[in-house]
Amino acid sequence: METKLNQFIQHAIESQPISGTSLISSLYGDALHHRGGEVWLGSLTKLLEPMGFSDRFVRTSVFRLQKEGWLDVEKIGRRSYYRISERGQSRFRRAESKIYLSEQSEWNGKWDLLLLESADKDEKIRLKKELSWLGFGQFNTSLMAAPNSNQSDIPALLSELNAAENVVYFHADYPFNRSEKNLKSLVFDAWSLPDISEHYHQFITLFRPVALLLKEYSEQVISPELCFQLRLLLIHFYRRVVLKDPLLPDELLPTQWEGHIARHLCTNIYQRIDQGATQYVTQICETTFGELPQPSSAYYRRFGGVLKELSAA
């Protein structure tokens, strides 16, 4: 089975270009975020070189992430240790809330509307980009909208984006169901749902054979190194799709939405290989204090708490 999984890993890596900064962001978010968020540069190379990513690839990528404010660096002698920055922590927390979601929360039928009329041209461009990443769609040139979530704190979000003075915030109801067809059409355009669905379909097509293989050999032990490589690629490819998904409530989605299928597939594969992957990261990674700390309790709440702690295995 490991031969087939190795062949899959090579196929996945070759299937489309992989950005170094994106891949290492996936690695930090998945493997290190709940384990102190710090690692020696040499450990990153040891993790990624067997997958075909060179030392130069790793060094260039972490340098760029540092320059962009995602990572901080500490040099001790000739060694460099990269840890998630304060700014990066905020971004990783937001991303994690989408990537490892177990199921969509129930929608109350209300909307959050943000009017950008007062912002200048450059500020509008910045805010639209930031808000799109946070799940808002563009209803017209100055109006961004999102189905309300009980977890949303829009005033705090606007303050964090330094936009509180330039954005007018409305909390709206939708009591007129006669226009529901037009609303769904607007939603399709504002969030480019067909494109997102196609990306989910590509993810499912790529990883479904892995799920079938793991199910066929459910009792067979997979090496920790292979578990790590599979888990990294699984989350990297899934992350690239789900972070573009606004996670709309079912009432606004097409029937048999590909995103639900992709989440179920990702959860099942992750659950099967997680322990081996975690063991391998522990074995390889070094920090300024020595070994990585064990994953925090928040780590095991991913995907609704389906993961098992190593001590309980």
Side-chain angles (χ1 to χ4, degrees):
M1 181 175 86
E2 290 209 352
T3 299
K4 292 182 179 180
L5 290 176
N6 275 306
Q7 290 172 345
F8 165 78
I9 287 170
Q10 192 60 39
H11 166 68
I13 291 171
E14 294 173 354
S15 66
Q16 52 189 281
I18 292 181
S19 157
T21 54
S22 181
L23 181 68
I24 290 179
S25 292
S26 297
L27 194 160
Y28 266 89
D30 185 60
L32 302 172
H33 184 215
H34 288 295
R35 305 192 66 176
E38 175 195 272
V39 71
W40 172 43
L41 177 61
S43 298
L44 293 175
T45 300
K46 287 182 182 180
L47 289 172
L48 294 176
E49 268 191 334
M51 301 175 71
F53 300 105
S54 68
D55 176 67
R56 182 178 180 181
F57 174 95
V58 175
R59 288 177 181 274
T60 301
S61 301
V62 294
F63 178 75
R64 288 176 179 168
L65 287 169
Q66 181 205 349
K67 288 297 182 184
E68 293 170 5
W70 288 77
L71 299 177
D72 292 328
V73 63
E74 180 179 355
K75 294 184 181 293
I76 301 179
R78 299 181 64 182
R79 287 190 167 200
S80 296
Y81 296 84
Y82 286 86
R83 68 173 60 89
I84 301 173
S85 67
E86 185 175 340
R87 175 190 174 195
Q89 288 283 359
S90 176
R91 289 292 186 99
F92 279 118
R93 281 194 296 270
R94 280 194 202 141
E96 178 162 3
S97 69
K98 296 184 73 170
I99 295 168
Y100 304 100
L101 186 70
S102 59
E103 59 183 24
Q104 192 76 337
S105 57
E106 194 170 322
W107 185 39
N108 60 10
K110 299 182 184 296
W111 288 82
D112 291 318
L113 305 178
L114 301 178
L115 186 63
L116 313 183
E117 194 72 40
S118 301
D120 62 31
K121 182 180 178 181
D122 290 341
E123 181 71 352
K124 275 187 182 179
I125 292 172
R126 180 185 76 86
L127 289 175
K128 285 176 182 179
K129 182 178 179 180
E130 293 278 1
L131 292 168
S132 295
W133 195 81
L134 294 169
F136 280 80
Q138 185 174 331
F139 274 10
N140 62 36
T141 56
S142 296
L143 184 64
M144 304 291 287
N148 175 255
S149 165
N150 292 329
Q151 299 176 351
S152 299
D153 187 346
I154 303 299
L157 173 65
L158 293 176
S159 294
E160 188 175 332
L161 294 177
N162 295 317
E165 301 298 323
N166 295 326
V167 175
V168 180
Y169 168 42
F170 299 95
H171 189 55
D173 288 316
Y174 175 67
F176 187 57
N177 59 13
R178 292 284 296 276
S179 58
E180 186 171 336
K181 183 178 179 180
N182 287 332
L183 175 62
K184 284 196 172 185
S185 176
L186 184 61
V187 166
F188 260 61
D189 293 336
W191 280 280
S192 303
L193 291 187
D195 291 340
I196 295 172
S197 179
E198 176 57 27
H199 290 311
Y200 273 132
H201 181 75
Q202 292 171 7
F203 172 84
I204 294 165
T205 300
L206 181 62
F207 281 94
R208 183 173 275 156
V210 176
L212 295 175
L213 189 61
L214 293 173
K215 186 176 181 180
E216 182 180 351
Y217 296 92
S218 59
E219 300 302 320
Q220 188 167 332
V221 175
I222 308 169
S223 72
E225 180 179 8
L226 197 52
C227 286
F228 164 75
Q229 293 176 1
L230 282 172
R231 193 182 70 176
L232 175 59
L233 291 176
L234 174 76
I235 288 301
H236 179 64
F237 280 87
Y238 183 64
R239 167 182 172 269
R240 292 199 303 186
V241 186
V242 76
L243 292 185
K244 296 177 182 177
D245 184 351
L247 300 180
L248 298 172
D250 290 343
E251 294 90 331
L252 299 173
L253 290 172
T255 55
Q256 296 185 328
W257 174 238
E258 298 269 24
H260 296 332
I261 301 169
R263 174 171 285 114
H264 182 70
L265 175 65
C266 184
T267 302
N268 286 343
I269 297 174
Y270 198 99
Q271 185 177 17
R272 171 73 167 87
I273 60 180
D274 174 63
Q275 289 193 20
T278 301
Q279 289 171 353
Y280 187 69
V281 171
T282 300
Q283 175 188 333
I284 295 296
C285 290
E286 298 179 45
T287 74
T288 52
F289 297 101
E291 291 186 359
L292 278 177
Q294 289 300 308
S296 68
S297 59
Y299 177 88
Y300 295 102
R301 291 197 290 270
R302 290 175 170 180
F303 297 116
V306 300
L307 306 180
K308 298 178 182 178
E309 295 195 41
L310 292 176
S311 60

